[in-house]
């Protein structure tokens, strides 16, 4: 079977099909994001936001890189919510609340980024110790990326209710336990709670701690210093600290 052509701006289906042909392993949107590929959405010019478009009066391809927006996509959202992006001049822009919503079909990945990813995987697999005897490079890469248990995979999407209360309960002046139970605002499916985690039961719900912490600060005035300490001291947040710090840098905090 011939390798499918990769367009300059590839859809999710096109990018996954091309990488599958290159690697011999299946690809999904979540896996593309796991490998830090930046998705883009074309924004048609809107006179309501002249500062966003500048001289790009035909529109431009806006990148999606904000940790909360990426986590929402990786969590299995049915659409795209963009709250932070870069304007036509590549300057970070905070979009007016609640952000711009687009269909998943509108997501695009740049050809050069997808090809670079394939090159990195091939190089990593061909280095000493990268592949075992009788194992192809692509199979080895897939094995390294695959978590041992489904539960572990789901836990990477967020932290549990108990972990949320332990990490953030002492930081906020509110009944956080009740707020999680009510699941409205930043605590619900369109906020910090990962929608994919509640498909079977609300008892399985997990929350993206970066999105949650930013919401607690912006909406409920949780002290930023206390939130920073939480990411450094709670075991459940240690794997999220880099995303948290990146989000703060993007927001200039």
């Amino acid at each position: 079977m011939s390798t499918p052509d990769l367009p300059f701006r590839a859809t999710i289906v096109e990018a996954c099909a091309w990488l599958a042909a290159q690697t011999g392993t299946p690809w999904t949107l979540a896996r593309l994001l796991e490998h830090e590929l930046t998705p883009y959405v074309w924004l048609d010019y809107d006179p309501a936001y002249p500062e966003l478009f500048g001289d790009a009066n035909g529109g431009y391809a806006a990148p999606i890189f904000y940790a909360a927006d990426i986590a929402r996509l990786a969590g299995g959202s049915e659409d795209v919510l963009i709250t932070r992006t870069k304007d036509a001049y590549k300057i970070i822009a905070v979009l007016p609340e609640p952000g711009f919503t687009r269909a998943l079909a509108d997501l695009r990945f740049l050809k050069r980024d997808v090809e670079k990813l394939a090159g990195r995987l091939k190089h990593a697999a061909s280095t000493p110790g990268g592949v075992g005897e009788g194992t192809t490079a692509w199979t080895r890469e897939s094995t390294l990326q695959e978590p041992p248990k489904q539960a572990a995979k789901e836990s990477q999407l967020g932290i549990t209710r108990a972990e949320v209360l332990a990490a953030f309960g002492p930081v906020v002046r509110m009944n956080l336990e009740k707020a999680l139970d009510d699941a409205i605002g930043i605590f619900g499916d369109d906020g910090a709670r990962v929608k994919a985690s509640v498909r079977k039961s609300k008892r399985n719900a997990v929350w993206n701690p970066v999105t949650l912490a930013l919401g607690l600060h912006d909406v409920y005035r949780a002290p930023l210093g206390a939130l920073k300490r939480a990411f450094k001291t709670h075991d459940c947040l240690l794997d999220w600290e880099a995303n948290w710090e990146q989000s703060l840098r993007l927001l200039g905090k």
Side-chain angles (χ1 to χ4, degrees):
M1 180 182 296
S2 61
T3 302
D5 292 333
L6 188 62
F8 177 71
R9 291 193 182 99
T11 64
I12 299 171
V13 173
E14 290 168 338
C16 289
W18 189 85
L19 283 170
Q22 296 293 315
T23 66
T25 59
W27 284 79
T28 62
L29 173 58
R31 193 178 179 195
L32 294 175
L33 299 176
E34 178 187 346
H35 283 82
E36 300 184 349
L37 281 188
T38 300
Y40 291 78
V41 167
W42 183 267
L43 297 180
D44 289 322
Y45 181 80
D46 189 337
Y49 309 104
E51 69 284 352
L52 187 63
F53 294 90
D55 294 330
N57 53 17
Y60 75 101
I64 303 173
F65 57 85
Y66 184 51
D69 297 343
I70 292 294
R72 185 176 182 273
L73 281 174
S77 63
E78 298 177 355
D79 58 11
V80 181
L81 178 63
I82 316 169
T83 61
R84 309 285 191 279
T85 187
K86 292 183 180 180
D87 63 19
Y89 301 109
K90 302 187 184 305
I91 298 174
I92 294 176
V94 179
L95 300 180
E97 294 184 358
F100 295 168
T101 302
R102 296 293 187 272
L104 279 178
D106 292 337
L107 276 184
R108 295 292 186 272
F109 292 90
L110 296 184
K111 177 180 180 178
R112 70 185 183 211
D113 292 344
V114 179
E115 290 177 336
K116 285 181 180 178
L117 170 59
R120 287 199 305 270
L121 295 178
K122 184 175 182 179
H123 176 74
S126 63
T127 56
V131 287
E133 184 69 20
T135 305
T136 66
W138 300 114
T139 302
R140 177 62 173 165
E141 187 276 330
S142 176
T143 301
L144 290 173
Q145 294 296 331
E146 190 67 24
K149 295 181 181 180
Q150 183 65 23
K153 183 176 181 180
E154 289 181 354
S155 68
Q156 294 173 2
L157 298 176
I159 60 176
T160 66
R161 182 176 182 276
E163 290 170 333
V164 170
L165 294 175
F168 300 125
V171 178
V172 295
R173 296 180 178 179
M174 60 178 295
N175 189 335
L176 185 57
E177 185 173 6
K178 183 178 185 301
L180 295 178
D181 290 338
D182 293 341
I184 58 175
I186 63 172
F187 308 103
D189 289 338
D190 292 327
R193 191 173 71 179
V194 179
K195 183 178 295 186
S197 68
V198 294
R199 286 176 178 169
K200 293 183 179 180
S201 170
K202 288 186 177 181
R203 291 179 298 178
N204 299 324
V206 295
W207 284 261
N208 181 293
V210 175
T211 308
L212 183 58
L214 292 174
L216 291 174
H217 174 64
D218 292 339
V219 180
Y220 295 98
R221 300 295 185 267
L224 198 57
L227 293 171
K228 289 180 178 179
R229 286 193 295 273
F231 277 90
K232 293 181 179 298
T233 56
H234 288 272
D235 291 342
C236 63
L237 298 180
L238 295 181
D239 290 339
W240 297 85
E241 186 179 4
N243 284 342
W244 165 249
E245 294 293 342
Q246 181 186 28
S247 296
L248 292 182
R249 287 194 296 272
L250 292 173
L251 293 172
K253 295 185 179 181

